[in-house]
Amino acid sequence: MSQGQSQVPTGQDQDEVTGMVCLESDLQDGQMKEVEVEEQKILLIRTQGQYSAVGSKCSHYGAPLIKGALFGDRVRCPFHGACYNVKTGDIEEYPGLDCLPTYKVKVEDGEVYVSSLNVYKRVKEMSCRVPGVNHIILLIGGGPASLLCAETLRQNHYEGRIIIVTKDTLPPIDKPKLSKAMHLDSASLLLRPMDFFQQHDIELWTQKKVKPSGQIIFSFTFSLTLSLSLCRARPLSCPGSELEGVRILQNYQDAKQIHQSCVGQKALVVGASFIGMEVASYLADKAASVMLIGNSSYPFQRSLDKLECLIGAVLKTDVVIAGIGVIPNSDFLKGSSVEVDSRKAVIIDKFMRTNIPDVFGAGDVTSFPLALRKDQRVNIGHWQLASAHGRVAALNMLQKQTEIVSVPFFWTVLLGKSIRYTGYAEGYTEIIYKGKVEERKFLAFYIKDDQVVAAASLMFDPAVARVAEIMSNGQVITKAQAQSDDLSWLQM
């Protein structure tokens, strides 16, 4: 296929199969339909009188895109917010790494035909290192920002040396799974297998720490670009925090130890936001008992709205798990001229540039201008944003000037129920609900200055995906729209 390398399972027939899938009149502009050719599901889309066809499943976790939000030439996954161009199949917003396959469409005598291959997702074509090119790009941190940066560089024909440095023992993994499924083996968490890095000449230095050593001076005898993207879990600082049974969740080994030590034991989770709540949810049917404590009045107080929580004064437990946030890993920059804020987050602009030429920042370690809030400087630890940062940083390293304009989108899973969230709710003054909270099926609009600044939902898909796309297009959602019983503007 002209769009890139297709991932075809071993033993599958790679010959094209063509089938009539619908009548030309079945779809109007701005509509999509899931069709089948030889039992393979395909997403058929009609925009501006033209038909296109792409893979039907999100390349992230395989969610059905027919349940997502279509805006113009882009479809957004209803579950986690990944976006794809319906003409090219290219991924345009994250999470996820791969693109969708595209299929040939032919309209003849009022009938629509699609020719398909049995392909689920597509990896973009990438270049390799070229001997004699001495430029090096050093990516510090083993998260999604570094991985997306490295892949974007190769996709855009960067021919120099790429090095990812991480203190972890594994290649980049799907870290959001750690707090939701702590029993998974490491192989199932890898974002890319080791041979992928070898195939595309991306060096991976594991179990390496970057430490301050006197004064750091960014002066090199060779051409180098540096990118920073790293954070660490915040430990407890109270008496007893050094005891054997006190744990934090930072990496795969931590998750494995927490799972093993909590089965059949009393577990105490400290922290009532996303990590703490997800860990408590995971342990609910594995530990003998689970108690959750936090310094807020109720869980998710800074992010979502009220959920009641019982907090005891004296607690006996076998294991303590701290999920109380993260700390930017910027200590190694001490003595350098790279600017950091009061929280030690690296200050970057909308092009991912620090104040030092050829030094970029991305992901949880950064303080960056959020386009959605008129470039208000924020620090947001979202997987999706870290991925987008990595891509934008890579493009700007290659002098392809690109701004970060992504709308925050994240999700959590609690006791089998998924909550979606988009936007930036800091400073909201009111919440407007649709649906019924008591039935655990609702959509919440967060209001500030008579505008919707964020939305969250439970069992109300694809509402949050649609809100995210509206915000991505620079449109304002008013308080009056949120209050109205008519949600036709959401296409619900």
Side-chain angles (χ1 to χ4, degrees):
M1 298 177 70
S2 60
Q3 300 298 331
Q5 304 168 348
S6 296
Q7 293 186 340
V8 182
T10 303
Q12 291 286 351
D13 183 2
Q14 298 185 36
D15 293 334
E16 278 189 349
V17 177
T18 301
M20 197 277 280
V21 295
C22 70
L23 298 177
E24 185 179 8
S25 58
D26 285 348
L27 282 183
Q28 303 299 315
D29 277 354
Q31 292 183 335
M32 53 186 179
K33 178 182 179 70
E34 190 175 78
V35 299
E36 288 191 14
V37 176
E38 292 291 316
E39 299 184 352
Q40 182 184 1
K41 292 182 179 180
I42 294 168
L43 190 67
L44 183 69
I45 307 101
R46 179 168 176 167
T47 56
Q48 298 180 337
Q50 300 294 316
Y51 278 94
S52 58
V54 295
S56 66
K57 295 181 179 179
C58 177
S59 68
H60 180 224
Y61 288 166
L65 294 175
I66 187 63
K67 296 182 179 180
L70 177 66
F71 277 78
D73 289 338
R74 191 160 92 160
V75 62
R76 182 182 285 264
C77 172
F79 293 175
H80 308 128
C83 296
Y84 304 90
N85 186 297
V86 298
K87 301 291 187 183
T88 66
D90 288 349
I91 188 168
E92 295 185 345
E93 189 56 86
Y94 305 95
L97 296 170
D98 298 323
C99 303
L100 302 177
T102 57
Y103 306 111
K104 297 176 183 177
V105 181
K106 179 176 69 173
V107 180
E108 191 173 87
D109 297 328
E111 297 177 333
V112 180
Y113 295 84
V114 175
S115 300
S116 77
L117 294 171
N118 194 357
V119 181
Y120 164 42
K121 54 188 177 182
R122 173 174 57 85
V123 180
K124 272 190 173 182
E125 291 181 352
M126 298 189 195
S127 63
C128 293
R129 184 183 176 191
V130 174
V133 177
N134 295 322
H135 190 270
I136 298 175
I137 292 182
L138 179 63
L139 306 174
I140 301 176
S146 287
L147 180 59
L148 262 297
C149 185
E151 293 197 18
T152 303
L153 288 168
R154 288 292 187 234
Q155 290 164 4
N156 287 271
H157 314 295
Y158 175 70
E159 298 175 339
R161 188 178 175 189
I162 300 175
I163 304 171
I164 297 177
V165 179
T166 173
K167 67 178 181 180
D168 293 334
T169 59
L170 296 172
I173 63 171
D174 193 350
K175 277 195 173 180
K177 286 184 178 179
L178 289 183
S179 55
K180 302 176 181 71
M182 307 174 82
H183 64 291
L184 294 178
D185 63 273
S186 59
S188 66
L189 293 171
L190 297 183
L191 293 173
R192 296 293 195 195
M194 279 301 300
D195 59 4
F196 176 90
F197 297 95
Q198 297 165 0
Q199 179 183 355
H200 301 293
D201 287 333
I202 300 171
E203 297 178 49
L204 188 62
W205 294 4
T206 58
Q207 302 182 68
K208 305 293 184 185
K209 291 185 179 180
V210 181
K211 297 181 179 180
S213 179
Q215 185 178 16
I216 297 177
I217 302 175
F218 292 104
S219 177
F220 308 100
T221 56
F222 48 87
S223 181
L224 180 143
T225 301
L226 181 67
S227 179
L228 317 169
S229 65
L230 59 173
C231 266
R232 65 184 185 274
R234 184 185 298 276
L236 292 174
S237 57
C238 59
S241 59
E242 74 287 349
L243 295 175
E244 174 63 26
V246 178
R247 305 189 183 280
I248 59 173
L249 179 56
Q250 175 71 39
N251 52 42
Y252 168 71
Q253 287 77 16
D254 293 336
K256 188 175 180 180
Q257 289 175 357
I258 291 170
H259 169 82
Q260 292 173 344
S261 62
C262 287
V263 173
Q265 302 297 313
K266 296 178 181 178
L268 172 64
V269 179
V270 182
S273 193
F274 290 93
I275 297 301
M277 290 293 289
E278 288 174 359
V279 169
S281 174
Y282 172 78
L283 294 175
D285 61 352
K286 300 171 183 66
S289 65
V290 179
M291 178 66 75
L292 178 79
I293 63 173
N295 61 4
S296 55
S297 301
Y298 43 82
F300 300 123
Q301 184 175 9
R302 296 177 181 85
S303 308
L304 305 174
D305 200 26
K306 296 181 180 179
L307 297 170
E308 295 302 325
C309 176
L310 176 64
I311 301 177
V314 178
L315 304 171
K316 293 184 179 181
T317 186
D318 300 306
V319 184
V320 175
I321 306 102
I324 54 174
V326 297
I327 303 171
N329 259 341
S330 59
D331 292 344
F332 75 98
L333 294 173
K334 187 176 181 180
S336 78
S337 299
V338 175
E339 290 184 0
V340 297
D341 66 12
S342 59
R343 295 184 62 253
K344 298 186 178 180
V346 176
I347 297 173
I348 59 173
D349 64 13
K350 63 182 65 177
F351 304 103
M352 306 290 104
R353 301 174 303 201
T354 69
N355 61 307
I356 304 297
D358 292 329
V359 179
F360 293 77
D364 297 3
V365 75
T366 63
S367 169
F368 70 98
L370 182 63
L372 178 67
R373 296 293 289 268
K374 299 180 180 179
D375 291 340
Q376 175 185 340
R377 189 160 290 281
V378 298
N379 171 248
I380 301 177
H382 295 177
W383 189 259
Q384 163 252 356
L385 274 177
S387 301
H389 280 191
R391 173 182 175 274
V392 172
L395 293 174
N396 287 300
M397 289 175 187
L398 299 175
Q399 308 302 316
K400 298 184 177 185
Q401 194 170 69
T402 307
E403 297 183 10
I404 182 67
V405 294
S406 296
V407 172
F409 194 111
F410 65 87
W411 70 98
T412 187
V413 179
L414 301 173
L415 301 175
K417 300 293 184 181
S418 292
I419 298 173
R420 332 274 187 213
Y421 176 98
T422 191
Y424 189 70
E426 182 182 88
Y428 74 90
T429 55
E430 182 181 358
I431 300 178
I432 297 173
Y433 291 97
K434 300 296 178 183
K436 296 183 178 180
V437 176
E438 62 274 14
E439 294 180 4
R440 298 182 179 87
K441 185 176 182 180
F442 64 88
L443 170 64
F445 294 111
Y446 295 76
I447 308 299
K448 181 180 180 181
D449 298 330
D450 290 328
Q451 294 182 6
V452 174
V453 293
S457 75
L458 177 64
M459 301 294 291
F460 220 88
D461 293 332
V464 168
R466 294 193 185 280
V467 170
E469 276 302 276
I470 292 172
M471 290 179 170
S472 293
N473 282 277
Q475 300 176 29
V476 173
I477 303 174
T478 65
K479 178 179 176 180
Q481 286 177 290
Q483 288 174 322
S484 174
D485 292 332
D486 180 8
L487 293 180
S488 58
W489 58 272
L490 263 184
Q491 300 178 28
M492 296 294 293

